[in-house]
Structure formats: C-alpha cells, structure tokens
Amino acid sequence: MLTISRICLLLLLVLTIFITPSYAVTLQNSTSTNENINLYELKDQTYYFPANYALNDKTVFLPLRRWDLIFTGDHINQMDDPVDRENINYVIPGPFNHVMVYMGKDSKGLAYAIELNLYSLEGGGRLSLICLGSDFGILRHPETQRIHDKRMMENRWAMRFINTAYEQVRTHEDLLFSKLENDLATNLPYQFVLEHSGQLWDRYIYLIDDGFEGGAGCSDYWTTLFEVYAGLCIKNVRMSAQEMVDYARNSPEGRLAYVPTEVSPFSNPVFVYQLLAMGFQIVPDDPHVDSCDGTEETGIVLPYLIMQSDLLEEIQELKSPFPVF
C-alpha cells in the first residue's frame, strides 16, 4: 500500500510557483464528457470495473455501486520524456494518485464517474462527469474519445464505504446530488493545494486546505463534500508539511523527485530536497477542524491515505467461471 510510484498531482509536494498542473501530463487523452448527461437520470446499477492493484497484476472486475471510490495511478504509456517521467513520478508516495466516485449508468448501459482533475498545463482543470465505458467494453460510446479507458492506467482499484457510512451517504443523497449538479454546472475549478508568491526571495510555500473556496483538489473535494453535505468525516487522510519534508529528504524515492525545467525558474532540474536545502520551507496550513468531533488536522489529503480509512472496505471481485478476456 505504501510503495512509491506515480504522481497524483505534481503539485502535492512542491511549490505552486514551480508546479503547474503536471498531473495533466498524464492525462493527455482525457476529455470531459459533460455532454448533456443528467446526473439524476443515471441509474444506480452495478458496473464491473476492471481493476489491478499493480501494473503486472491480473485484472479483476470489481462490481461497483453508486458512491464507490475509484483510485488510479498514471497512464501506462506516457507522452512526456521518459527520463523526466521516472523522476517526476516519485513526487508523491503511494501507487494511487487520483480519486473519483462512481455515479451510475445511463440508459445505454454506459457507466459514469465524477472527478476533479487537470486537463492541460495551460487550461487547468475542473469538476467533470466522465464516461468509463460499459461492462467488459461491450458497448461503444457514440464518441469513443469521450471514454476514459482506465485500463490504460498502471494502477486502478476501487473501495466502498462500510455499511454504516454508506447508509449515512444515502440518507443525504439529495444534498450531495444538488451540490454535485451545481459544481458541474459552474465548472468548479481545480485549486492548487500549495501557494507561493512567485518571488525567488520568498522561501515560504503555504499549504491550502480551505474547503471549496476557490476550487478544490482531486482528493480533498470528496472528503470535504462528504463531511459538509453528509456529515461523514473521513479522518487521518492528510500528509503534514513535516511529513512532506521528511519524505523528500529521507525517502529513497522522494529524493528522486524533482521540478522539471518547464515549470521551474531554474535553468536545470532541481530536486525537491535541493529546494529544501536552499532554504525553502513548506508552511503548515490552518488546521482543518473536523465537524464531527472538533479534532484538528493539518496537511494535504492524499489518495493512499483515504484508502486506509476505517470507513472504507474492499469490494469482493466478480467470480467468473470463465476468463472474461
């Protein structure tokens, strides 16, 4: 679970000045599918999600229900420089770097999820309804480029809420749908979770964890949504500023992570631990106050920490008497 691999968003450990949406580099073929799909028309039907915990694992099919969380890593075939890729991918711990939520199927049997993601370095990102395709790839979307083929991801998995948490989410489903519909309609933007003045003399990088104000990230959008609109607090899912520093300085993988020249004020690639050695400091954000019990926590929400939550459980895979493919 804690092995190091690909990046959730290049910005999760380094500076906003240096980090423009690098996760977009891994999503060059992704396209939003806000194609007049009515969220309320989606049926809560089982979708058999093709999952593999690691690249070389056998694909298994996880039967998803509405509100199941899908976790993914990076594309198998990257388009950027392979040398950069091998180093950039070490920025964040864990094989999973992105979170989306399954919402249901349309009348054709195509499955849909909602994600908050970056789509280009220049254009940023937003909350989107995306098409995952159909069970076992049997059906075709009228516009095939709109299907997000998650089989192209190195790591993909799904987990679901335990029964008590799931019932709490279902009880507040109307509120959740209303918020999601509004955020989709208004194109809620992606928000960097780190902030820097842009001045080289400024050595302070601030963590941002302010709910929906100004947008949100791929992970904290969901933890905030479930807490605010369903009263479900997913605890202990944040990596603190000090943990980020320790990872970049002391982890063998973390010491390989660097800021590429394309998004850096320096003419040569700079490793994150070198930036820290130059005197840059990651400053903790204002504490997040848990609305369930008033406890406080600082840091950035990460997918692999969400996966360890005691509010989530594994999904039993489909048992088929014959190979699916």
Side-chain angles (χ1 to χ4, degrees):
M1 179 77 85
L2 294 178
T3 57
I4 306 299
S5 76
R6 316 292 163 183
I7 165 183
C8 167
L9 301 161
L10 183 56
L11 43 91
L12 274 185
L13 199 51
V14 277
L15 340 155
T16 299
I17 174 181
F18 307 139
I19 293 185
T20 39
S22 64
Y23 184 55
V25 174
T26 73
L27 290 175
Q28 294 182 9
N29 295 322
S30 290
T31 307
S32 170
T33 63
N34 291 333
E35 49 187 273
N36 299 318
I37 296 293
N38 188 329
L39 192 61
Y40 287 92
E41 292 178 357
L42 295 179
K43 302 178 179 64
D44 185 7
Q45 295 178 341
T46 299
Y47 167 57
Y48 292 99
F49 179 71
N52 65 330
Y53 204 82
L55 178 59
N56 297 320
D57 287 352
K58 176 184 175 182
T59 296
V60 298
F61 289 89
L62 303 180
L64 303 189
R65 67 187 180 190
R66 178 174 292 160
W67 303 116
D68 285 348
L69 278 65
I70 299 172
F71 301 87
T72 62
D74 282 340
H75 276 159
I76 294 173
N77 298 313
Q78 300 276 5
M79 298 299 292
D80 54 324
D81 182 85
V83 176
D84 286 351
R85 183 168 68 250
E86 288 303 315
N87 289 276
I88 291 172
N89 289 335
Y90 287 116
V91 169
I92 193 171
F96 300 93
N97 52 48
H98 186 57
V99 185
M100 64 191 76
V101 171
Y102 174 62
M103 296 306 299
K105 287 181 176 178
D106 65 13
S107 59
K108 303 180 186 70
L110 294 169
Y112 288 82
I114 292 178
E115 66 174 6
L116 207 166
N117 208 350
L118 294 161
Y119 291 96
S120 73
L121 290 168
E122 297 79 16
R126 64 188 183 277
L127 191 72
S128 300
L129 183 66
I130 65 169
C131 182
L132 299 173
S134 66
D135 296 324
F136 318 122
I138 295 174
L139 300 177
R140 298 300 175 191
H141 192 280
E143 297 181 59
T144 55
Q145 73 272 18
R146 291 185 181 273
I147 291 182
H148 290 224
D149 187 0
K150 297 309 174 186
R151 300 185 199 214
M152 298 304 295
M153 310 304 283
E154 290 190 354
N155 309 93
R156 52 190 189 271
W157 203 250
M159 300 183 73
R160 69 175 32 141
F161 289 113
I162 60 175
N163 288 337
T164 53
Y166 177 66
E167 290 303 321
Q168 189 166 334
V169 169
R170 292 303 297 260
T171 299
H172 296 84
E173 192 164 271
D174 288 343
L175 285 174
L176 293 167
F177 262 67
S178 178
K179 172 61 175 173
L180 286 169
E181 185 181 46
N182 179 74
D183 288 347
L184 287 169
T186 57
N187 291 321
L188 183 80
Y190 180 84
Q191 181 188 50
F192 292 117
V193 292
L194 296 151
E195 184 174 85
H196 187 265
S197 68
Q199 304 297 322
L200 285 177
W201 51 261
D202 183 2
R203 291 296 189 253
Y204 296 104
I205 307 112
Y206 296 90
L207 300 187
I208 303 297
D209 182 20
D210 58 359
F212 296 123
E213 183 178 349
C218 72
S219 301
D220 60 287
Y221 177 81
W222 296 106
T223 55
T224 304
L225 180 79
F226 290 125
E227 179 175 346
V228 174
Y229 289 89
L232 185 65
C233 298
I234 306 176
K235 305 170 70 66
N236 302 317
V237 293
R238 291 172 170 80
M239 173 182 270
S240 70
Q242 186 56 53
E243 288 172 326
M244 291 182 183
V245 170
D246 292 342
Y247 169 69
R249 283 178 170 166
N250 304 321
S251 166
E253 295 83 1
R255 286 181 66 84
L256 293 176
Y258 73 85
V259 184
T261 55
E262 292 81 359
V263 291
S264 170
F266 300 99
S267 58
N268 296 309
V270 180
F271 288 92
V272 176
Y273 75 85
Q274 291 175 321
L275 290 174
L276 295 172
M278 291 178 197
F280 287 94
Q281 301 177 42
I282 300 177
V283 181
D285 52 328
D286 293 333
H288 170 80
V289 180
D290 192 318
S291 62
C292 296
D293 59 13
T295 57
E296 297 183 352
E297 186 179 7
T298 62
I300 294 173
V301 179
L302 296 182
Y304 88 91
L305 293 176
I306 294 177
M307 295 179 77
Q308 297 179 38
S309 171
D310 57 8
L311 294 181
L312 297 180
E313 63 183 4
E314 296 290 346
I315 301 171
Q316 186 174 358
E317 68 183 75
L318 170 68
K319 299 297 184 181
S320 176
F322 53 86
V324 176
F325 58 80

